[in-house]
Amino acid sequence: MGRIVVISTGGTIASRWQGSGFAADADGSEVMATAPLPEGITVEVVDLFSVNSPRLTTAHQLTLLRTVHEVLADPEVDGIVVTHGTDTLEESAFLVDLHHHDPRTVVFTGSQLPMGSAAGDGPGNLYDALLTAAATRGLGVLITFAGRVHAARGTVKTQAVALDAFADPSKELLGKIGFGKVTMLRTPQRPTPLALPSMPELPPRVDMVMHHADGDPVLLNAAVEAGARGIVLVGTGAGNATPEIVDAVRAAVERGVLVALTTRVPAGPVTEIYTHGGAVDLVAAGAVPSGTLRAGQVRIAVLAALLADVEPGERMRVLRDALASGGPVLVEA
């Protein structure tokens, strides 16, 4: 069926007992040895790093992005599987998807149970990812987990420990895997891919601030003073906060900070309904609404806009396009 390159980055799928808890320490060959190969697939392994995904940095993620592009420079490669920790998998997958312009599929997967666990989910997830990478085209970056196929865009970790860990709470399931077959139920829409960014010596700081009852601008202002070039405001409801936070957003935007607005509600779009500090006022102050994307992926979109090779004044447009909320032309993947 094809030649698949597996890029190993660590996570639970590569974790073993360390005396007081589990941590990633297995290399990609050890991870691959746990899983059967779908018929007709050959595998090559790239050991990129082996870390628990909460420890990932922007530098790690940009290295992964560039490695994906380097692997796909070989026309003999039919697809890529990335094994990754589940905590930040949604962020890394979305970063790769924002810059993915190749018809060949990149599939992210991992596990909720560590290596060697009885009835562990890693081998099955890896088998499904290999099958999906070989059997699909033109769908961008995908996430396979627990027999389900998800588009990278919009998919988040919805279960802390349960095996069926990922979903897009705002959209229908993309596809499913069973009996050696991948069945796609719909085609994801994706904005025009961004160009591959450079590797900055010091990546831009992008912070997240959540609103709540009694919330005030202290943390948002502190992020700006700490040098944040981008801020994700996690509002309540459909994307709401207070007049004081609106003022802080306006001041941050006037200083050249990119501000994106999402919500702490699991599903549904950010919507301009309310004033008196609501999304109506926040958007008027310069915050860019995120549609149905949630905080982790919105932060990646802000980061991508800051890293784009454009004039500073163009970064707001890049952010709007990355969030698919400013009227970009969406193309069928």
Side-chain angles (χ1 to χ4, degrees), residues 310-326:
V310 297
E311 295 296 322
E314 283 289 291
R315 287 177 181 148
M316 182 76 79
R317 176 192 57 78
V318 174
L319 176 58
R320 289 185 181 279
D321 288 355
L323 294 174
S325 62

Side-chain angles (χ1 to χ4, degrees), residues 82-325:
V82 179
T83 57
H84 197 290
T86 59
D87 283 8
T88 57
L89 185 152
E90 65 203 55
E91 299 172 37
S92 298
F94 185 54
L95 178 67
V96 175
D97 191 54
L98 281 173
H99 299 86
H100 188 60
H101 54 74
D102 196 287
R104 291 169 290 179
T105 304
V106 178
V107 183
F108 279 69
T109 196
S111 71
Q112 292 283 73
L113 296 174
M115 288 183 68
S117 299
D121 58 329
N125 286 344
L126 186 49
Y127 178 95
D128 287 350
L130 292 167
L131 187 65
T132 304
T136 60
R137 287 291 183 274
L139 299 175
V141 177
L142 304 176
I143 296 169
T144 61
F145 229 87
R148 298 173 182 268
V149 184
H150 310 281
R153 171 177 288 267
T155 296
V156 296
K157 188 173 183 180
T158 57
Q159 296 286 340
V161 294
L163 300 188
D164 190 3
F166 288 89
D168 182 342
S170 299
K171 288 189 172 62
E172 298 296 324
L173 181 66
L174 184 68
K176 55 187 178 180
I177 308 161
F179 303 101
K181 181 180 179 182
V182 181
T183 302
M184 302 309 299
L185 305 176
R186 61 182 179 88
T187 301
Q189 289 187 314
R190 303 168 57 233
T192 302
L194 299 172
L196 188 66
S198 60
M199 288 285 288
E201 185 173 336
L202 183 64
R205 181 184 181 109
V206 182
D207 289 323
M208 296 192 292
V209 178
M210 180 179 285
H211 183 51
H212 51 82
D214 282 338
D216 61 31
V218 169
L219 295 180
L220 195 153
N221 290 335
V224 174
E225 293 305 319
R229 293 174 56 196
I231 293 174
V232 178
L233 175 60
V234 185
T236 57
N240 306 307
T242 67
E244 293 78 16
I245 291 178
V246 170
D247 291 340
V249 166
R250 183 178 295 107
V253 171
E254 288 173 352
R255 292 177 60 166
V257 178
L258 286 183
V259 179
L261 175 64
T262 185
T263 172
R264 68 189 202 186
V265 180
V270 171
T271 308
E272 296 171 63
I273 302 172
Y274 298 103
T275 184
H276 290 185
V280 170
D281 300 333
L282 289 165
V283 172
V288 180
S290 65
T292 59
L293 296 183
R294 292 310 186 253
Q297 293 193 338
V298 176
R299 182 185 172 276
I300 291 297
V302 174
L303 176 68
L306 290 168
L307 291 172
D309 186 19
V310 297
E311 295 296 322
E314 283 289 291
R315 287 177 181 148
M316 182 76 79
R317 176 192 57 78
V318 174
L319 176 58
R320 289 185 181 279
D321 288 355
L323 294 174
S325 62

